[in-house]
Amino acid sequence: MASVSSDDVQRVFIQAILSRAIVSRNLAQILWEKSIDAVNAAKPELELRLPTGRDAWDEFVTKINRSLDSLDLEFRHLHDENSGTQMYALVNRKGDEIAQMATEYTAAEIAFFKAIVELIMLAPRHSFSVSSTAALREVSAIRPKTNMSKSQAEAVLGSFVAQKWLTKSKRGRYSLSTRSLLELSPYLKTTYPEELIECTICLEIITRGVACLRENCKTWMHRHCFTNFRRRQNSCPTCRIDWPENHTDKAFVPIGEGAAREGDDAKRWSRNAASDDDEDDDDDDDDEDEPDNTQSQSQSQSQPQPKARRAQRTKKTNVVQDDIDIDEEEDAEPVKKEKAPARRSTRR
């Protein structure tokens, strides 16, 4: 039997993370403590103790990432867009063909996922979501790569949600999950640089939130970032217009599913089509009776593009499991961190 050492704390901790895909900071710290207890149980003479102090957790994460560096993996965090909870996951930093093939999904299923990601990223008015009807329609768009039936596609979509790659709302619309935003961040930034936007407050990717009420202002915020920022300042950090007290105020422009309109999913969006549609919306607001001269151009430019982009996937390296069980515990209340205001200089 291999000798037990203090280094086994990291190994047991990584095994616990692999079995959960994505965890909150609070749960990750609980798993860290449980990993120490497990190693102590295997070799009591080690007498390991949970480090205390403000920087103890950050030092442990640094040590974990140092051990994962040779595998091109990273234990990375991102804030949940809805709650603001700090979430952690093991992220594959390498997006080559070998890494992409090392996944539980088939090539056809990966192509299906890539097509859905493209629909979400190209959705008009920063709605960053797609209906179930439009998502299922993508099966025909990726042919002849796959002969996937509609029922099979529905099952695969359910798997994407179950594995926390996508989220599905009560309205039946799909959007990117926190896990996808974490693991696919490099891919999204390089593939969709014009469509991707970042929160002005925390500088993380934003697909759910609100935009400043002033037209053409370049401020986008997660709702939790707005709440924290509004406690300290009552005006926009970019244009200085006074803000309402609550992000639910109708004066704010929604980002995410709230920005979706009926008929958005009637056609498959391309970059040119999405851009033209934004211009058409402005014209319609000025004069609803005026003929839409750009509609035919938008429709002609929105023909399906058969070539989808490859989304990054993560290969979870198998770690030898000792006869040590770690009980999963309930997640504690999230700890929100306030971010200093920052400025964004680009807008789609």
Side-chain angles (χ1 to χ4, degrees):
M1 180 177 178
S3 176
V4 177
S5 69
S6 60
D7 291 338
D8 287 311
V9 172
Q10 299 176 44
R11 183 172 61 83
V12 175
F13 176 80
I14 292 172
Q15 179 66 52
I17 296 299
L18 285 171
S19 67
R20 291 163 176 82
I22 185 167
V23 298
S24 69
R25 173 177 173 141
N26 292 319
L27 179 55
Q29 290 176 328
I30 291 173
L31 293 173
W32 179 26
E33 183 178 3
K34 289 295 185 181
S35 298
I36 293 175
D37 292 343
V39 174
N40 279 330
K43 193 172 183 179
E45 57 267 31
L46 289 175
E47 296 183 349
L48 300 176
R49 296 183 181 276
L50 180 69
T52 59
R54 192 171 184 177
D55 300 327
W57 170 249
D58 292 336
E59 291 172 359
F60 178 69
V61 171
T62 299
K63 187 181 296 184
I64 288 290
N65 284 329
R66 193 178 297 123
S67 65
L68 294 172
D69 188 65
S70 61
L71 301 175
D72 287 310
L73 295 173
E74 180 181 355
F75 188 52
R76 187 183 300 171
H77 75 271
L78 185 75
H79 290 87
D80 181 89
E81 292 192 283
N82 292 322
S83 66
T85 303
Q86 197 173 54
M87 306 296 293
Y88 280 83
L90 281 176
V91 176
N92 184 358
R93 300 185 317 218
K94 197 170 185 179
D96 59 10
E97 291 295 321
I98 296 177
Q100 292 173 13
M101 291 171 62
T103 170
E104 67 269 29
Y105 292 111
T106 66
E109 291 168 344
I110 294 174
F112 184 37
F113 180 78
K114 290 188 300 181
I116 294 173
V117 170
E118 178 155 305
L119 284 185
I120 291 172
M121 293 306 301
L122 300 183
R125 296 177 302 281
H126 293 160
S127 58
F128 295 117
S129 61
V130 61
S131 69
S132 56
T133 300
L136 292 173
R137 195 168 59 224
E138 285 304 291
V139 173
S140 60
I142 61 176
R143 289 178 179 146
K145 295 182 180 180
T146 178
N147 292 321
M148 191 185 303
S149 66
K150 181 179 178 180
S151 60
Q152 290 173 328
E154 290 175 340
V156 173
L157 278 172
S159 175
F160 291 155
V161 174
Q163 295 299 320
K164 301 179 181 179
W165 292 110
L166 297 175
T167 61
K168 186 177 182 181
S169 70
K170 294 180 180 179
R171 293 172 55 189
R173 297 187 68 84
Y174 293 95
S175 57
L176 295 180
S177 66
T178 303
R179 181 184 184 183
S180 282
L181 294 177
L182 256 174
E183 299 204 28
L184 303 182
S185 177
Y187 169 79
L188 296 174
K189 289 179 179 179
T190 56
T191 309
Y192 305 102
E194 296 180 2
E195 291 76 18
L196 196 69
I197 59 176
E198 295 178 349
C199 177
T200 304
I201 310 302
C202 70
L203 300 182
E204 293 180 356
I205 295 174
I206 177 172
T207 63
R208 301 171 184 85
V210 292
C212 181
L213 51 92
R214 173 166 283 173
E215 186 178 2
N216 296 326
C217 180
K218 301 170 183 177
T219 296
W220 304 287
M221 305 158 288
H222 298 110
R223 294 180 180 87
H224 61 87
C225 288
F226 168 85
T227 299
N228 292 332
F229 182 79
R230 185 63 176 77
R231 293 193 187 107
R232 307 188 308 271
Q233 185 171 322
N234 60 6
S235 61
C236 175
T238 304
C239 70
R240 303 302 176 184
I241 190 174
D242 287 340
W243 278 346
E245 293 185 0
N246 201 302
H247 60 73
T248 59
D249 194 290
K250 294 183 179 180
F252 286 111
V253 180
I255 296 173
E257 185 176 329
R261 298 180 185 175
E262 186 177 354
D264 281 350
D265 300 310
K267 60 183 179 180
R268 190 177 191 276
W269 292 93
S270 67
R271 279 190 170 86
N272 291 336
S275 176
D276 290 347
D277 182 78
D278 289 340
E279 295 176 1
D280 292 346
D281 288 340
D282 294 337
D283 293 340
D284 291 341
D285 291 339
D286 293 338
D287 187 358
E288 294 182 357
D289 295 328
E290 182 178 354
D292 188 353
N293 294 326
T294 62
Q295 183 176 2
S296 60
Q297 291 180 344
S298 176
Q299 292 175 344
S300 64
Q301 292 171 339
S302 62
Q303 295 300 317
Q305 298 179 354
K307 184 176 181 180
R309 296 172 178 83
R310 182 174 297 275
Q312 287 182 318
R313 300 282 302 170
T314 301
K315 171 64 177 178
K316 297 296 188 286
T317 306
N318 290 330
V319 181
V320 177
Q321 175 69 44
D322 284 346
D323 296 330
I324 301 172
D325 293 329
I326 299 179
D327 296 330
E328 183 167 3
E329 301 192 11
E330 290 295 327
D331 191 5
E333 288 295 323
V335 178
K336 298 182 181 179
K337 288 191 176 182
E338 296 186 0
K339 300 291 182 176
R343 294 176 63 92
R344 281 285 299 159
S345 59
T346 60
R347 179 159 184 163
R348 179 161 64 93

mmCIF file of all heavy atoms in Angstrom, residues 12-13 15-16 19-20 30-31 33-39 41-42 321-329:
data_model
loop_
_atom_site.group_PDB
_atom_site.id
_atom_site.type_symbol
_atom_site.label_atom_id
_atom_site.label_comp_id
_atom_site.label_asym_id
_atom_site.label_seq_id
_atom_site.Cartn_x
_atom_site.Cartn_y
_atom_site.Cartn_z
ATOM 1 N N VAL A 12 -7.093 14.021 -2.931
ATOM 2 C CA VAL A 12 -8.451 13.719 -2.504
ATOM 3 C C VAL A 12 -9.384 14.882 -2.841
ATOM 4 O O VAL A 12 -10.531 14.679 -3.268
ATOM 5 C CB VAL A 12 -8.480 13.417 -0.994
ATOM 6 C CG1 VAL A 12 -9.903 13.219 -0.508
ATOM 7 C CG2 VAL A 12 -7.645 12.172 -0.687
ATOM 8 N N PHE A 13 -8.883 16.104 -2.667
ATOM 9 C CA PHE A 13 -9.691 17.284 -2.979
ATOM 10 C C PHE A 13 -10.036 17.334 -4.469
ATOM 11 O O PHE A 13 -11.185 17.578 -4.850
ATOM 12 C CB PHE A 13 -8.932 18.553 -2.581
ATOM 13 C CG PHE A 13 -9.638 19.828 -2.943
ATOM 14 C CD1 PHE A 13 -10.671 20.326 -2.159
ATOM 15 C CD2 PHE A 13 -9.273 20.539 -4.079
ATOM 16 C CE1 PHE A 13 -11.329 21.495 -2.485
ATOM 17 C CE2 PHE A 13 -9.920 21.716 -4.423
ATOM 18 C CZ PHE A 13 -10.951 22.195 -3.625
ATOM 19 N N GLN A 15 -10.196 14.851 -6.548
ATOM 20 C CA GLN A 15 -11.164 13.783 -6.827
ATOM 21 C C GLN A 15 -12.574 14.229 -6.470
ATOM 22 O O GLN A 15 -13.540 13.965 -7.200
ATOM 23 C CB GLN A 15 -10.794 12.533 -6.035
ATOM 24 C CG GLN A 15 -11.743 11.377 -6.240
ATOM 25 C CD GLN A 15 -11.697 10.841 -7.661
ATOM 26 O OE1 GLN A 15 -10.617 10.536 -8.180
ATOM 27 N NE2 GLN A 15 -12.845 10.741 -8.301
ATOM 28 N N ALA A 16 -12.710 14.923 -5.355
ATOM 29 C CA ALA A 16 -14.026 15.413 -4.937
ATOM 30 C C ALA A 16 -14.575 16.440 -5.916
ATOM 31 O O ALA A 16 -15.774 16.447 -6.216
ATOM 32 C CB ALA A 16 -13.932 16.017 -3.532
ATOM 33 N N SER A 19 -15.877 14.839 -9.234
ATOM 34 C CA SER A 19 -17.159 14.153 -9.126
ATOM 35 C C SER A 19 -18.336 15.118 -9.104
ATOM 36 O O SER A 19 -19.486 14.695 -9.230
ATOM 37 C CB SER A 19 -17.185 13.288 -7.865
ATOM 38 O OG SER A 19 -17.157 14.092 -6.696
ATOM 39 N N ARG A 20 -18.055 16.426 -8.987
ATOM 40 C CA ARG A 20 -19.134 17.409 -8.876
ATOM 41 C C ARG A 20 -19.159 18.419 -10.015
ATOM 42 O O ARG A 20 -20.083 19.194 -10.130
ATOM 43 C CB ARG A 20 -19.009 18.153 -7.543
ATOM 44 C CG ARG A 20 -19.323 17.268 -6.345
ATOM 45 C CD ARG A 20 -18.802 17.876 -5.050
ATOM 46 N NE ARG A 20 -19.185 17.080 -3.891
ATOM 47 C CZ ARG A 20 -18.542 15.995 -3.483
ATOM 48 N NH1 ARG A 20 -17.481 15.575 -4.151
ATOM 49 N NH2 ARG A 20 -18.949 15.315 -2.425
ATOM 50 N N ILE A 30 -15.429 23.473 2.243
ATOM 51 C CA ILE A 30 -15.871 22.328 3.052
ATOM 52 C C ILE A 30 -15.172 21.056 2.575
ATOM 53 O O ILE A 30 -14.704 20.225 3.378
ATOM 54 C CB ILE A 30 -17.398 22.172 2.972
ATOM 55 C CG1 ILE A 30 -18.087 23.329 3.707
ATOM 56 C CG2 ILE A 30 -17.840 20.829 3.557
ATOM 57 C CD1 ILE A 30 -19.588 23.357 3.529
ATOM 58 N N LEU A 31 -15.061 20.880 1.253
ATOM 59 C CA LEU A 31 -14.386 19.707 0.700
ATOM 60 C C LEU A 31 -12.901 19.708 1.051
ATOM 61 O O LEU A 31 -12.300 18.638 1.257
ATOM 62 C CB LEU A 31 -14.574 19.669 -0.823
ATOM 63 C CG LEU A 31 -16.007 19.428 -1.313
ATOM 64 C CD1 LEU A 31 -16.090 19.579 -2.823
ATOM 65 C CD2 LEU A 31 -16.507 18.058 -0.883
ATOM 66 N N GLU A 33 -11.628 20.927 3.846
ATOM 67 C CA GLU A 33 -11.575 20.485 5.239
ATOM 68 C C GLU A 33 -11.802 18.976 5.347
ATOM 69 O O GLU A 33 -11.112 18.273 6.112
ATOM 70 C CB GLU A 33 -12.625 21.240 6.053
ATOM 71 C CG GLU A 33 -12.614 20.898 7.536
ATOM 72 C CD GLU A 33 -13.618 21.698 8.332
ATOM 73 O OE1 GLU A 33 -14.382 22.488 7.710
ATOM 74 O OE2 GLU A 33 -13.649 21.544 9.569
ATOM 75 N N LYS A 34 -12.779 18.458 4.565
ATOM 76 C CA LYS A 34 -13.064 17.024 4.598
ATOM 77 C C LYS A 34 -11.891 16.210 4.054
ATOM 78 O O LYS A 34 -11.630 15.086 4.498
ATOM 79 C CB LYS A 34 -14.323 16.732 3.776
ATOM 80 C CG LYS A 34 -15.613 17.234 4.421
ATOM 81 C CD LYS A 34 -15.898 16.500 5.702
ATOM 82 C CE LYS A 34 -17.228 16.905 6.297
ATOM 83 N NZ LYS A 34 -17.504 16.196 7.578
ATOM 84 N N SER A 35 -11.173 16.763 3.080
ATOM 85 C CA SER A 35 -10.001 16.075 2.525
ATOM 86 C C SER A 35 -8.907 15.943 3.580
ATOM 87 O O SER A 35 -8.239 14.894 3.682
ATOM 88 C CB SER A 35 -9.475 16.839 1.307
ATOM 89 O OG SER A 35 -10.437 16.892 0.288
ATOM 90 N N ILE A 36 -8.718 16.994 4.367
ATOM 91 C CA ILE A 36 -7.734 16.942 5.459
ATOM 92 C C ILE A 36 -8.147 15.897 6.488
ATOM 93 O O ILE A 36 -7.325 15.096 6.955
ATOM 94 C CB ILE A 36 -7.599 18.329 6.108
ATOM 95 C CG1 ILE A 36 -6.964 19.314 5.113
ATOM 96 C CG2 ILE A 36 -6.751 18.258 7.379
ATOM 97 C CD1 ILE A 36 -6.888 20.747 5.621
ATOM 98 N N ASP A 37 -9.437 15.877 6.846
ATOM 99 C CA ASP A 37 -9.936 14.882 7.803
ATOM 100 C C ASP A 37 -9.731 13.464 7.282
ATOM 101 O O ASP A 37 -9.384 12.544 8.055
ATOM 102 C CB ASP A 37 -11.424 15.117 8.076
ATOM 103 C CG ASP A 37 -11.686 16.413 8.832
ATOM 104 O OD1 ASP A 37 -10.726 16.965 9.416
ATOM 105 O OD2 ASP A 37 -12.842 16.882 8.806
ATOM 106 N N ALA A 38 -9.949 13.265 5.971
ATOM 107 C CA ALA A 38 -9.807 11.930 5.390
ATOM 108 C C ALA A 38 -8.357 11.446 5.453
ATOM 109 O O ALA A 38 -8.084 10.280 5.758
ATOM 110 C CB ALA A 38 -10.300 11.939 3.944
ATOM 111 N N VAL A 39 -7.425 12.336 5.161
ATOM 112 C CA VAL A 39 -6.004 11.970 5.209
ATOM 113 C C VAL A 39 -5.570 11.710 6.652
ATOM 114 O O VAL A 39 -4.808 10.776 6.927
ATOM 115 C CB VAL A 39 -5.140 13.067 4.554
ATOM 116 C CG1 VAL A 39 -3.652 12.754 4.731
ATOM 117 C CG2 VAL A 39 -5.462 13.185 3.072
ATOM 118 N N ALA A 41 -7.466 10.574 8.972
ATOM 119 C CA ALA A 41 -8.051 9.288 9.352
ATOM 120 C C ALA A 41 -7.207 8.127 8.832
ATOM 121 O O ALA A 41 -7.098 7.078 9.481
ATOM 122 C CB ALA A 41 -9.469 9.183 8.818
ATOM 123 N N ALA A 42 -6.612 8.316 7.651
ATOM 124 C CA ALA A 42 -5.778 7.261 7.072
ATOM 125 C C ALA A 42 -4.419 7.173 7.754
ATOM 126 O O ALA A 42 -3.835 6.083 7.854
ATOM 127 C CB ALA A 42 -5.592 7.513 5.574
ATOM 128 N N GLN A 321 -8.878 6.589 -6.513
ATOM 129 C CA GLN A 321 -9.746 6.848 -5.356
ATOM 130 C C GLN A 321 -9.343 5.917 -4.213
ATOM 131 O O GLN A 321 -9.339 4.704 -4.351
ATOM 132 C CB GLN A 321 -11.210 6.609 -5.734
ATOM 133 C CG GLN A 321 -12.170 6.737 -4.576
ATOM 134 C CD GLN A 321 -12.269 8.179 -4.110
ATOM 135 O OE1 GLN A 321 -12.356 9.084 -4.920
ATOM 136 N NE2 GLN A 321 -12.248 8.367 -2.804
ATOM 137 N N ASP A 322 -8.963 6.516 -3.074
ATOM 138 C CA ASP A 322 -8.696 5.721 -1.876
ATOM 139 C C ASP A 322 -10.012 5.276 -1.269
ATOM 140 O O ASP A 322 -11.079 5.722 -1.658
ATOM 141 C CB ASP A 322 -7.912 6.550 -0.847
ATOM 142 C CG ASP A 322 -6.454 6.674 -1.265
ATOM 143 O OD1 ASP A 322 -6.052 5.918 -2.157
ATOM 144 O OD2 ASP A 322 -5.755 7.527 -0.697
ATOM 145 N N ASP A 323 -9.913 4.415 -0.286
ATOM 146 C CA ASP A 323 -11.115 3.976 0.418
ATOM 147 C C ASP A 323 -11.529 5.027 1.432
ATOM 148 O O ASP A 323 -11.663 4.773 2.634
ATOM 149 C CB ASP A 323 -10.857 2.637 1.125
ATOM 150 C CG ASP A 323 -10.563 1.541 0.122
ATOM 151 O OD1 ASP A 323 -11.091 1.644 -0.995
ATOM 152 O OD2 ASP A 323 -9.819 0.611 0.460
ATOM 153 N N ILE A 324 -11.666 6.261 0.914
ATOM 154 C CA ILE A 324 -12.025 7.392 1.757
ATOM 155 C C ILE A 324 -13.218 8.066 1.147
ATOM 156 O O ILE A 324 -13.166 8.500 0.006
ATOM 157 C CB ILE A 324 -10.855 8.405 1.862
ATOM 158 C CG1 ILE A 324 -9.617 7.716 2.442
ATOM 159 C CG2 ILE A 324 -11.256 9.596 2.708
ATOM 160 C CD1 ILE A 324 -8.384 8.586 2.397
ATOM 161 N N ASP A 325 -14.318 8.120 1.843
ATOM 162 C CA ASP A 325 -15.538 8.737 1.340
ATOM 163 C C ASP A 325 -15.640 10.149 1.866
ATOM 164 O O ASP A 325 -15.378 10.413 3.035
ATOM 165 C CB ASP A 325 -16.772 7.935 1.788
ATOM 166 C CG ASP A 325 -16.795 6.574 1.129
ATOM 167 O OD1 ASP A 325 -16.291 6.465 -0.001
ATOM 168 O OD2 ASP A 325 -17.299 5.634 1.755
ATOM 169 N N ILE A 326 -16.020 11.037 0.974
ATOM 170 C CA ILE A 326 -16.244 12.423 1.367
ATOM 171 C C ILE A 326 -17.716 12.710 1.206
ATOM 172 O O ILE A 326 -18.253 12.641 0.108
ATOM 173 C CB ILE A 326 -15.417 13.395 0.508
ATOM 174 C CG1 ILE A 326 -13.926 13.115 0.690
ATOM 175 C CG2 ILE A 326 -15.739 14.831 0.858
ATOM 176 C CD1 ILE A 326 -13.044 14.012 -0.138
ATOM 177 N N ASP A 327 -18.387 12.999 2.275
ATOM 178 C CA ASP A 327 -19.815 13.275 2.228
ATOM 179 C C ASP A 327 -20.032 14.673 1.716
ATOM 180 O O ASP A 327 -19.406 15.619 2.162
ATOM 181 C CB ASP A 327 -20.424 13.143 3.632
ATOM 182 C CG ASP A 327 -20.312 11.716 4.144
ATOM 183 O OD1 ASP A 327 -20.330 10.793 3.299
ATOM 184 O OD2 ASP A 327 -20.198 11.534 5.351
ATOM 185 N N GLU A 328 -20.935 14.791 0.767
ATOM 186 C CA GLU A 328 -21.283 16.118 0.244
ATOM 187 C C GLU A 328 -22.182 16.824 1.247
ATOM 188 O O GLU A 328 -23.116 16.242 1.778
ATOM 189 C CB GLU A 328 -21.992 15.988 -1.094
ATOM 190 C CG GLU A 328 -22.303 17.340 -1.716
ATOM 191 C CD GLU A 328 -22.719 17.212 -3.163
ATOM 192 O OE1 GLU A 328 -22.819 16.070 -3.633
ATOM 193 O OE2 GLU A 328 -22.948 18.241 -3.776
ATOM 194 N N GLU A 329 -21.892 18.059 1.528
ATOM 195 C CA GLU A 329 -22.674 18.824 2.474
ATOM 196 C C GLU A 329 -23.409 19.935 1.775
ATOM 197 O O GLU A 329 -23.082 20.331 0.676
ATOM 198 C CB GLU A 329 -21.750 19.405 3.553
ATOM 199 C CG GLU A 329 -20.973 18.303 4.308
ATOM 200 C CD GLU A 329 -20.290 18.871 5.546
ATOM 201 O OE1 GLU A 329 -20.599 20.014 5.906
ATOM 202 O OE2 GLU A 329 -19.481 18.151 6.124
#
